[in-house]
Amino acid sequence: MKHVEEIIESMEYIITLKEKNMKNWEEIFPSFNSLARESYKELKKFNMIEDMKKILSYVKPLNMLPPERQTKRLHNLKTSLIDLKNKYLISQTTNIKENKLNLFTDIKYIKHVGTKRSNLLKNLNIENIYDALYTAPRDWEDRRKVKTIYNISDGETALIVGKVANMDEVNINKGLKIINFSINDGTGIMTISFFNQDYIKNYLKKDTICAFYGKAEYNFGQKQMKSPDFQILENKNNLQNKIIPIYPLTSGISQNIMRKIMKQINPQIYYLEEFLPDKFIKTFNLLNINQRLTGIHEPKSSYHIKKSLITFKYEEIFLFEYAILNSKKKIKKHLKGYSKNINGELSKIYINNLNFKLTNAQKRAHIEIREDMKKESPMNRLLQGDVGSGKTAVAEISIIDNFEAGFQSALMVPTSVLAKQQYQKIKLNLEKINIKTELLIGETKEKEKKEIKDKLKNGEIDLIIGTHAIIQNDVEFKKLGLIIIDEQHRFGVNQRLSLIQKGSSPDILVMTATPIPRTLALTLYGDLDVSIIDEMPSGRKKVKTILNSDNNLKNIYDFIKDELKKENQAFFIYPLIEESEAIDLKNAKDMHEQISKIFSDYNVGLLHGKMKSVEKNEIMEKFSKKEINILVSTTVIEVGVDIPDATVMVIEHADRFGLSQLHQLRGRVGRSNKQSYCFLTTSSNISKETKTKLTQFSANNDGFKVSEIDLKWRGPGKFFGTQQHGIPDFKFIDITEDLKIIEEVKKYIEQDNILDDKKIIQEIKMRFKNSTELIKAI
Ligand code: ADP
Ligand code: MG
């Protein structure tokens, strides 16, 4: 016998055949007819007879109808089937029950919970009723169909219904007692075994009719289920064959207990008020709050589950985007920036003096930034561009524009090494335009610091470069108009907010070399506008990336020797500074010694994070002057370093690094028009997955592509460093898969302008209570 969902699915299937012209109306009608006849009992049970009659009338062959009417009929038929699904496969009514509870009621007051279990439930992030309702099952068991013992196969998880025929007990040893029941369902016998559960004897008496749900095994020619779920039935018709949720668990809370707890809580679903706008639900054809929650906890059909899960995706991203857009609006409303007067004369001089031509992408980004700076509302823009795409040039031009309008600028970088390097370069470039630049980092001497701060306050400095020392509270500016933050992935949302809250509202430009796909950036950093440099300076050759197992190193050494003869330079990168007891990996210090021996005709330098910053600078200086030919290093060289003649990089234990990190590292070579090479080595026993991942990386030079691959492999949580970016751990949305939904919803909220709704904001606070940054922002 088919259940309702199967009946409707069968009809859908037959219609698909018609659509594909594999069947004609004359064949369809009898198929529908016999389906109706053989499911009569079921149709009756669900009061579906009338609807079925209607459907049958729709599929009657009417040959005299013209083709367009035939098409229309087919279309109507499909619509009727969707109506059937919504009517019979999804819960409809709002039951009125007593005992309405506050959603914030501590879970410990729920029957079957108590203090001890409520503490365990905290591991699942369940503290109150609301949390429990939004704990999605990880899967569902379909117990709607009864399988016969005769038909059940080895390893199949299924529901059987039969009579207890026999019982025996086996004492294996003192600690283990097995109780075996023989169950007969008329088609065969199955042994149902329980271990150390004596009390079950009281339930499963001879001739009791009982349903068992579990995994069938064939052992020594016998069919067996071990510790299945069971339900005692008066007769076979009492069977509650439903779809049952499988909840995530934590140690100390079994599936059975979890289900019992949820059973206590589920009635509360019917009291919940919808917070999604009516129009939103209609636009995207979603389920209402009662339907979608019953759809996961007490689903009527797999269609019900599916529709609920889609609705939850929409719901979740609705709340998230709403929070972001709401905070964006708030920032915009409270902050008045400067409307800058930029005529572009100064930047023209600078651009004409460059010894290269700006790429179109650089020009575009610059125009976007300039337009923002002219507007009164403060700029809040992300500049994404691959390593070496020329972001610094764009930053310099923006600083010049800002200077021309009469404002000071601040450039903030993540490390002091990088600050010094940027300082040396940028100072030279901007001096020609009379921009006065200073460096302020943690290690700047106190006396000098004080001088610099004074000069910033009275406007004698136009550009300050440094680490976050430059945004500390005691640093005051005369007229700060532009803050540029380099390498955004190290700065959190909060730091950005605290910058904005510093009183005045300077323009903010965040630069990142960890690009993410544009749509993703736009939707996730809803409060930022995005500029993208998606074009490399002309003449750049792609870095050739070669994946090797490390027993190939000899060949790589030979290759490098040839490069060194051409006056080129090389990097060797290791995951560790020195030997570690914990992991057996090559380290920079030991390899420095080895490589010095192998390349005894050349100077080999060593660079790592434990060195003092003076030492590090010295080494980098020597490497850039070619006094050092080979640099053995850890990842400290990750950002910013610019050595045009470095043409080879060897990254050992490449599987130890994330793809985005590898890409950053690789960006240190290929910074001129010479052909460069990146060798990734791994031991030969890395997993197949890792190998695939690294192969994909080797084939892709584009940072956007690499970040997509990285995102796919790592998942959003790890990719973004959730905490830092205030992006919550989504329960339903998969930000790599659901981009389309994210975009649709964002557009909807923007257009509908439904911000500042109290009910929705309340819901956001409950839903994302662990994302403090997000909550703070709304
Ligand atoms: P990013 O900060 O994006 O990694 P940089 O701004 O440091 O890249 O630029 C890398 C190198 O490319 C620098 O040496 C810079 O002078 C040079 N460069 C920048 N723009 C261009 C261009 N349009 N054409 C040629 N070289 C460029
Ligand atoms: Mg840079």
Side-chain angles (χ1 to χ4, degrees), residues 416-417 420 440-446 449 613-614 617:
S416 57
V417 176
K420 282 184 215 166
L440 182 64
I441 50 181
E443 62 218 64
T444 308
K445 299 214 170 62
E446 279 310 316
K449 255 188 201 163
S613 126
V614 196
N617 279 343

Side-chain angles (χ1 to χ4, degrees), residues 145-160 190 213-218 224-225:
K145 261 196 111 101
V146 180
K147 196 90 192 187
T148 58
I149 293 176
Y150 178 78
N151 271 328
I152 206 163
S153 37
D154 193 6
E156 185 179 355
T157 300
L159 182 73
I160 59 157
M190 177 172 268
Y213 185 87
K215 187 171 162 189
E217 295 170 27
Y218 287 13
Q224 189 184 14
M225 267 188 201

Side-chain angles (χ1 to χ4, degrees), residues 587-604:
N587 64 79
K589 278 188 178 169
D590 290 349
M591 287 311 292
H592 173 244
E593 273 181 37
Q594 277 199 39
I595 288 170
S596 303
K597 279 180 204 150
I598 296 165
F599 295 91
S600 52
D601 295 342
Y602 294 95
N603 287 329
V604 181

